[in-house]
Amino acid sequence: MADASDTSSSRVPELSALGLDDLVAEVVERLQSAAATGDKLQGLLEAVVAVGADLDLHATLYRIVEEAVDLVDAKYGAIGVIGPDGPDRHLVDFITVGIDPEAAAEIGDLPRGRGILGLLIDDPEPLKLDDLTLHPASYGFPPNHPPMHSFLGVPIRVRDAVFGNLYLTEKRGRPGFSDEDKQVVRALAAAAGVAIENARLYAQAREREEWIKGSVDITTALVGSEDPDEALHVVARRARTLASADFSAIYLPQGDGSYLVEITDGHDVSSLAGTVLPPDSPLARVIESGESVFIADMSTDPGVMLEQSRAFGPGLFVPLTAGGSVLGALELDRSIGALPFTQTEQALFQAFAGQAAIALVLAAAQRDRARLAVYEDRDRIARDLHDLVVQRLFATGMMLQGAARLAIVPEVIRRLNQAVDELDATIREVRSTIFALQQGPEDAGPGVRARVLREAAAATPALGFEPSVTFVGPVDSRVPDEAAEHLLAALREALSNTARHAQATRAEVSLVVDDEAVLTVTDDGVGIAPGGRRSGLANLRSRAESLGGTADFGPGPNGKGTTVTWRVPV
C-alpha cells in the first residue's frame, strides 16, 4: 500500500536482465524524474558501486542497508529476507543498522514480519509513512525497542521474485521521508537486486564446489576404510557439515521392511540411535520407494513417527540408492526456527546421497576383494601344510617307528617312541591350524570346534599371545548343546584365570571327544600358589559335576605352570 502522496504507483521494473550501463541509466532516469540534486545522484551512483563490491551475501545485505541509511539520512535501517512461498510467509533473516548488539539483545527475538513489516510482504509496493505508530496495522514495539515514527519500506526483487524488503526509519532533521527519498531508495533497491543475485550465484557456485569436494572426500575415506560402521560415520558427519545441519542420522533397512537408526552425528539425541521406523509408517514407505522427503518443520509435522525427531525444525530424508537398491536413508535436521533447506541445497543433498551410496558399494566391494584375497592365501597355506608338512611329518613318524623296532638299547627305543609321540602331537596342532585357516573364527559356523576357536581368539588380547588349539575325535557331532555351553564357559574361565594370574608366555588348549569330552588347558606360568583363591576352579568343578563329570587342576608338564582338566560324559 502506497502513501497518498506517492506520485508513482507503478511497480519497479524488472532489472535482472540489465547490464551495469543499463542499470546506471535507469537510476539516472529515476533521479531526474524526481528532480534529484547532483549530490544525491553522485551519492546514489557511489552506493550502486559499493553494494556490488562484495560477493558474500550477508556482507552485501549489510552494505545495502548502510548505503540506504546514508543516502536518505535515516537513523535506523534493516533488510528483512522473506522465506519461501506458503500460507505463512514470514521473515527468515533480519539485518539491521543503527541498533548496537547490546540493544538488539535487549529487544529479543528478530521480527517475523507482522504489522507494518508484513504489509510489504503481502503487497510488495513502496510504503512511506510519516508516523508508523498511527497506522491501523501497527502492533506497537516490544520492550526496550527504540521509538520510531517516520518509515520508508521498499521491496527488493531478484529476478521475478521478491527477495525481501528494505526498511528505513527515523528521518533525521525532518518529520518524514520525501518522495525523492523514496525514488532514491527504489533505485538502490533495484541495484541491490542485481548485487544480491550475483552474491547468491557466487554462494551457490561455492556451495556446489564444497559438495563436490565433499563427495570426493567421502569416496576417498570410504574406499580406504576397513570398518563399515566408520564408513557410515564418515557419510553422516560430512553431510551434516556440508548442509550446516545440527543433526544427521543413517537408517539401515531390516529384514521386516523397517528401518533401524544405526548412526547418529551432531546434536545430542543419543536416544534416537537404535530406534526403529516401522515398515507401515509413511516415511518408511517413501524411503523404500527411493523418493526423498523434505519436511519444513519436524516439530509439528504429523508424518514424523519418531518422537525424538520433533526436537528439530527443517528436515531432509534422502535414500541411499545404488543400482536400483535402497541401501538405507540419510537424515539431516536443523534446529527449530533455523532457515529451511533451499531447493539448491535439496538438489545438492540428493546428488551427495547418490554419490555416498555408490561409494558405500565400492567400499564394500573393495573390502570383499581384500577379504577374498586373504581367504585365497589362507587356502593356499592350508593346502601346503596338508600336502607337504603333514605328509612329511607322518612319513618321518613312520620311519622313527620302524627304527624303534630295530633298536636294541632301551633308552634309544624310549627316545624314539617319545619323538613319535611329539610328531603325532605336532600333526594334530598342524591339522587344527589348517582348519582355522580354512574357517576363520569370525566366519565360522555354530559348531563346537568353531566356537572353541572363537573363544581362544577372543582371549588373545588379554593373554598377550594366541593359545594353540588341538582337536581329537568327532567334536562337532558328539558334544550335545548343553554340554557345549558348559564346556565353552569352562574354557573361558580357564583362559581368563591364565591371563589374570599365570604370567604365562604360552597356553595350549586340547579338546578330545570319544565317550567323554575332555578339555585340557595348559600354561607355562607360575602355577597355582598355595592357599590362593580357588573360586574360578570351583566354578569349573561345579559346571562339570552338574553334567556328571569332573574338573581337576595340577602342575603342568615337567612340574611347571598349570594344567586344568575338565571332563564330562557324552
Side-chain angles (χ1 to χ4, degrees), residues 70-353:
D70 290 342
L71 273 176
V72 298
D73 202 17
K75 188 175 182 180
Y76 305 108
I79 280 184
V81 180
I82 303 175
D85 291 338
D88 183 32
R89 293 193 73 193
H90 59 274
L91 301 178
V92 296
D93 198 7
F94 202 72
I95 296 93
T96 63
V97 168
I99 299 179
D100 58 62
E102 292 77 10
E106 291 180 358
I107 294 172
D109 295 336
L110 296 177
R112 288 175 53 86
R114 301 292 184 260
I116 298 297
L117 302 185
L119 293 177
L120 272 77
I121 298 178
D122 299 333
D123 185 15
E125 293 290 343
L127 176 64
K128 183 168 67 70
L129 302 172
D130 290 334
D131 192 343
L132 60 86
T133 63
L134 302 179
H135 195 281
S138 177
Y139 277 10
F141 296 109
N144 303 313
H145 195 287
M148 295 180 182
H149 296 279
S150 56
F151 173 87
L152 176 59
V154 175
I156 299 176
R157 288 180 170 82
V158 175
R159 295 187 179 272
D160 56 352
V162 176
F163 172 83
N165 295 310
L166 176 58
Y167 305 112
L168 300 164
T169 61
E170 291 299 281
K171 172 77 172 181
R172 300 179 189 271
R174 55 175 296 175
F177 294 97
S178 65
D179 290 342
E180 182 183 351
D181 290 333
K182 185 171 71 172
Q183 291 285 37
V184 168
V185 174
R186 290 181 67 189
L188 179 62
V194 177
I196 291 171
E197 175 71 356
N198 289 338
R200 287 173 62 177
L201 292 174
Y202 177 75
Q204 290 173 5
R206 290 294 302 272
E207 188 176 21
R208 288 190 177 93
E209 180 183 351
E210 288 298 317
W211 280 92
I212 292 172
K213 183 177 181 297
S215 298
V216 174
D217 289 344
I218 64 163
T219 302
T220 303
L222 294 180
V223 172
S225 173
E226 297 182 358
D227 185 354
D229 284 346
E230 178 58 28
L232 293 174
H233 274 294
V234 169
V235 173
R237 187 165 51 247
R238 196 74 174 102
R240 183 181 63 82
T241 303
L242 288 170
S244 299
D246 298 292
F247 176 76
S248 63
I250 290 183
Y251 295 69
L252 297 183
Q254 306 302 298
D256 60 355
S258 63
Y259 282 85
L260 173 67
V261 181
E262 187 76 15
I263 304 295
T264 59
D265 185 78
H267 192 282
D268 184 18
V269 189
S270 54
S271 59
L272 187 62
T275 56
V276 177
L277 196 64
D280 57 347
S281 64
L283 187 57
R285 290 197 297 267
V286 172
I287 292 174
E288 188 65 27
S289 70
E291 298 179 7
S292 300
V293 179
F294 305 102
I295 300 177
D297 191 348
M298 301 272 286
S299 64
T300 59
D301 194 286
V304 176
M305 298 291 296
L306 300 179
E307 192 63 31
Q308 297 92 330
S309 295
R310 295 193 177 278
F312 299 102
L316 286 79
F317 294 82
V318 177
L320 299 172
T321 307
S325 300
V326 178
L327 308 179
L330 180 57
E331 174 186 359
L332 282 180
D333 300 324
R334 288 175 177 167
S335 299
I336 295 176
L339 293 175
F341 293 99
T342 65
Q343 291 185 348
T344 299
E345 288 175 325
Q346 294 174 11
L348 291 173
F349 185 51
Q350 288 177 299
F352 174 87

Side-chain angles (χ1 to χ4, degrees), residues 448 451-452 475 478-491 511 513 515-519 543-544 546-549 566-570:
V448 174
R451 295 169 72 184
V452 167
V475 174
R478 291 293 299 275
V479 181
D481 292 341
E482 183 180 5
E485 294 299 330
H486 284 283
L487 184 149
L488 292 167
L491 173 60
L511 178 58
V513 177
D515 292 334
E516 59 181 1
V518 181
L519 173 68
R543 287 183 179 278
S546 70
L547 299 173
W566 190 89
R567 65 178 70 228
V568 294
V570 294

